[in-house]
Amino acid sequence: MPRSESGRAPRVVFVTITFDPEPGALRGLPLARWLARRGYDVRVLTGFPQYPGGKVYPGYRIRPWQWETMDGIPVLRVPLYPSHDTRALRRIWTYLSFMLSAATLGVALVGRADVVYLYEPPPTNGLASLLLKWFRGAPVVHHIADMWPETVLGSGMLPAGRVQKVAERLIGAWCRFLYRRADVMSVLSPGFKRMLVERGVPAEKVEVIYNWTDEDAFRPVPRDPALARELGLDGKFNVIYAGNIGPLQGIDTVVRAAVLAAPRCPELQVTIVGTGPLSDEVRSLADELGATNVRFVPRREYWEMPQINALADVLLVHLRDFPFLASTIPSKTQVSLASGRPVLIGVRGDAADLVLQAGGGVAVPPEDPAAMADAMVELARMSPAERDAMGRRGREYYLRNLSLDIAGEQHDRIFRRLAAGRRRARARLGARGRESGD
């Protein structure tokens, strides 16, 4: 069990704008619980939950700060401006408001830190981690989940032209500033490591730690016939996309593919579960194309998603065909593999490589409706036994290579090394101080 100075458990402070109960906070409560079981003292500095709808969750209200305890983990929430739409000024103010709150109230209230775990995006979170490093002497592990400035530029949030170019320079300069001051960089894919090395980050400073998913929730579960009837999935070959409907997901491709597949496979149905800034556009496209085999299900509660995934004959993952997205691995990849269902993935690069290495699904080029339609029909024509075997292979691969235990061990080694280095540095400073006083 790790120990810091005076026999205390090392305190790891998570700095992140999103945390449980927000969906997709993979490196949130599950990792905090895992570390706490290993003897770490974990605290979290985060905002009030508002993602993905941009509205504060029931049971919370914006206030100067709020402490709560989640599964034994102290969580400090500081105010932010809640928004998650495509309007640049609102999204920018969401990021800046949390940056200011975390760097002032958060740093003052969160207490001591032996290691800071900075979870990005957005990179504005990094101001709080810098202050904890400078004033508390805490080394920083900077985790990159989305590569900026590419992500914000690709999202279409900023207008093209001069504004975008200025933003690109400013964001890029800030990111490089943070990278130089981090003690360790962690990334979710080999492609992200290559990108950081190309930007001048020493390769030995970058650790690849794949994402995991909520393994208590996302696993094979029995099919629920009543839920299938409620959602209109009974008696169909169901391809299910569950997640954000935003500028980077390219869900228009999914709708177009469904239309192309319909004449060859009348029983095929594509169900899109979720919401996002482009929800209305995608629904309008489905109406315009007469996509009668596309169903839309509004965002469901998190605890329902394993049962919805179990109703899928195929789980779908898709991103736009931007070069930088070939280096990312969307979290739905791990969710789909862990759920034990076949995966149809339209993402280039590392994410598709994982699915193919696992033998857990079929990969198609992104933003290619014809190729996606062909793959849907191919999967529908497989026997149920073939699809079940594909799902089992995917889950077995997940457990061997992508689980929380594997990632937790990697974090443990990094945090332990940094906490020990901080302990030795403080001991040297203390010794010099005593010598100068003699």
Side-chain angles (χ1 to χ4, degrees):
M1 182 179 296
R3 283 286 180 264
S4 65
E5 65 266 22
S6 306
R8 297 180 307 191
R11 175 174 292 169
V12 179
V13 174
F14 286 30
V15 179
T16 172
I17 196 171
T18 56
F19 193 76
D20 291 70
E22 291 165 300
L26 296 172
R27 293 174 186 258
L29 194 56
L31 178 59
R33 286 192 304 246
W34 193 97
L35 292 168
R37 289 195 296 269
R38 290 298 182 98
Y40 286 90
D41 174 4
V42 182
R43 287 195 177 188
V44 178
L45 170 56
T46 190
F48 287 87
Q50 55 89 34
Y51 175 82
K55 295 181 180 179
V56 177
Y57 282 29
Y60 293 90
R61 64 181 176 85
I62 300 292
R63 57 181 75 184
W65 70 83
Q66 174 182 315
W67 280 102
E68 66 176 306
T69 301
M70 303 183 73
D71 291 354
I73 307 296
V75 177
L76 172 62
R77 298 190 184 274
V78 294
L80 48 66
Y81 174 76
S83 175
H84 193 74
D85 57 27
T86 56
R87 297 181 183 178
L89 289 178
R90 291 184 180 181
R91 291 285 291 278
I92 290 169
W93 183 233
T94 299
Y95 299 151
L96 292 180
S97 61
F98 177 73
M99 178 186 79
L100 295 172
S101 295
T104 53
L105 288 168
V107 169
L109 295 172
V110 79
R112 70 176 176 87
D114 297 306
V115 179
V116 176
Y117 183 59
L118 170 65
Y119 183 88
E120 179 197 314
T124 46
N125 294 354
L127 181 59
S129 69
L130 284 178
L131 294 177
L132 287 167
K133 181 181 179 73
W134 290 338
F135 295 112
R136 305 279 173 83
V140 174
V141 178
H142 184 160
H143 178 71
I144 303 289
D146 281 327
M147 195 63 70
W148 283 50
E150 288 86 352
T151 296
V152 71
L153 299 178
S155 71
M157 188 173 76
L158 297 174
R162 182 176 175 82
V163 170
Q164 192 175 90
K165 291 178 180 177
V166 171
E168 183 176 9
R169 287 198 296 270
L170 291 175
I171 294 169
W174 174 246
C175 289
R176 290 190 296 274
F177 181 78
L178 291 176
Y179 300 163
R180 287 195 297 271
R181 282 148 186 83
D183 295 87
V184 173
M185 303 287 300
S186 67
V187 292
L188 54 75
S189 72
F192 274 14
K193 179 171 183 173
R194 289 191 295 272
M195 292 178 75
L196 288 181
V197 171
E198 289 168 1
R199 293 174 190 192
V201 179
E204 62 273 14
K205 185 175 173 175
V206 186
E207 300 276 352
V208 177
I209 305 179
Y210 289 107
N211 270 347
W212 58 94
T213 190
D214 182 347
E215 293 156 12
D216 292 334
F218 293 105
R219 53 190 174 81
V221 297
R223 191 175 187 278
D224 184 343
L227 182 62
R229 289 191 296 271
E230 177 193 340
L231 299 181
L233 305 181
D234 208 22
K236 299 289 185 178
F237 180 84
N238 294 296
V239 177
I240 294 181
Y241 170 87
N244 187 38
I245 305 173
L248 296 180
Q249 284 71 38
I251 305 306
D252 59 305
T253 296
V254 178
V255 173
R256 296 180 192 277
V259 172
L260 293 175
R264 289 181 285 165
C265 192
E267 72 275 16
L268 186 146
Q269 177 174 266
V270 173
T271 300
I272 298 170
V273 183
T275 187
L278 298 187
S279 294
D280 291 342
E281 285 187 28
V282 174
R283 285 176 178 267
S284 295
L285 177 66
D287 290 340
E288 177 188 329
L289 297 178
T292 56
N293 63 341
V294 176
R295 290 186 63 82
F296 290 92
V297 175
R299 179 175 175 266
R300 305 286 291 209
E301 294 296 332
Y302 178 80
W303 58 266
E304 294 179 284
M305 294 315 300
Q307 283 74 32
I308 291 174
N309 286 354
L311 298 176
D313 294 287
V314 175
L315 290 170
L316 176 66
V317 183
H318 186 261
L319 289 177
R320 298 280 303 280
D321 195 13
F322 294 146
F324 76 94
L325 290 176
S327 297
T328 194
I329 300 175
S331 59
K332 282 187 285 297
T333 310
Q334 282 87 341
V335 167
S336 301
L337 292 171
S339 297
R341 306 306 303 144
V343 183
L344 172 54
I345 185 163
V347 182
R348 292 194 189 277
D350 291 337
D353 290 346
L354 275 186
V355 172
L356 295 177
Q357 287 166 13
V362 175
V364 297
E367 296 195 82
D368 188 335
M372 182 176 287
D374 289 344
M376 289 177 178
V377 174
E378 174 191 342
L379 287 160
R381 290 175 178 170
M382 288 182 182
S383 69
E386 288 177 295
R387 290 194 298 269
D388 288 346
M390 188 177 282
R392 283 195 300 274
R393 290 194 298 269
R395 177 163 175 81
E396 288 165 2
Y397 183 89
Y398 171 86
L399 294 173
R400 289 195 308 269
N401 299 282
L402 307 171
S403 69
L404 174 56
D405 278 340
I406 291 168
E409 293 288 353
Q410 291 178 274
H411 284 93
D412 180 36
R413 288 193 295 272
I414 294 168
F415 293 159
R416 190 182 307 175
R417 172 167 57 84
L418 292 178
R422 179 177 185 267
R423 201 162 54 238
R424 289 191 296 270
R426 290 170 69 90
R428 285 195 297 270
L429 284 174
R432 283 200 292 269
R434 288 191 296 273
E435 289 170 5
S436 64
D438 286 343

